[in-house]
């Protein structure tokens, strides 16, 4: 299985793909459960530890990039990068092949609406049914990352 992850401080989008068929198997959004751990390693691991793990052999995670839009948010970017590192380390430790990709590499500077439209145009009707009706951009970004990994978007 391929696990694609769009990390965040309070929520994390994920998509799970069958490595044989390269088809979406499941996707969703994980939110931080506890206000007790709003920042730091305990908060990151609360989300990371709930990602699907069974049969995951490959992991792709969006890593952070600093540009004109994100320059003023250095502390948050560093913390999100730490979340991405937690994901990569957890799965690397389990023997998975792990890859980090900056947004510019897989989606350019396309707005969220364009990424969502690309994902919807690429998936089959059966795969589209797997996306929760209230899916956020984080979920679509995770799916897009997985599709990028297979070079189909």
């Amino acid at each position: 299985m391929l696990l694609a992850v769009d990390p965040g401080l309070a929520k994390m989008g994920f998509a799970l793909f069958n490595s044989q068929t390269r088809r979406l198997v499941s996707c969703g959004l994980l939110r931080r459960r506890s206000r007790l751990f709003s920042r730091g390693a305990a908060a990151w691991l609360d989300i990371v530890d709930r990602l699907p793990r069974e049969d995951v052999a490959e992991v792709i995670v969006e890593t952070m990039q600093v540009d004109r839009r994100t320059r003023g948010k250095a502390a948050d970017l560093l913390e999100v990068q730490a979340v991405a590192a937690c994901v990569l380390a957890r799965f690397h430790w389990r023997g998975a092949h792990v890859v980090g990709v900056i947004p510019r590499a897989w989606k350019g500077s396309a707005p969220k609406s364009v990424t969502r439209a690309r994902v919807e145009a690429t998936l089959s009707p059966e795969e589209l049914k797997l996306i929760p009706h209230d899916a956020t951009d984080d979920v679509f970004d995770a799916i897009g990352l997985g599709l990028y990994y297979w070079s189909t978007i």
Side-chain angles (χ1 to χ4, degrees), residues 1-73:
M1 294 288 207
L2 166 70
L3 176 65
V5 179
D6 181 28
L9 298 180
K11 58 187 178 170
M12 185 177 302
F14 73 90
L16 192 62
F17 292 83
N18 180 309
S19 295
Q20 301 294 323
T21 64
R22 298 186 175 188
R23 309 241 334 169
L24 182 67
V25 173
S26 70
C27 61
L29 185 73
L30 298 172
R31 295 183 188 277
R32 188 179 63 236
R33 290 183 285 204
S34 175
R35 295 254 181 240
L36 296 175
F37 305 114
S38 62
R39 303 294 285 242
W44 312 333
L45 293 174
D46 173 59
I47 298 176
V48 171
D49 285 343
R50 289 184 286 132
L51 285 167
R53 292 189 297 265
E54 194 171 321
D55 298 326
V56 171
E58 302 164 286
V59 179
I60 185 168
V61 178
E62 185 175 79
T63 57
M64 299 302 99
Q65 68 185 26
V66 177
D67 59 24
R68 62 179 159 65
R69 294 173 292 165
T70 58
R71 231 176 266 143
K73 305 171 186 173

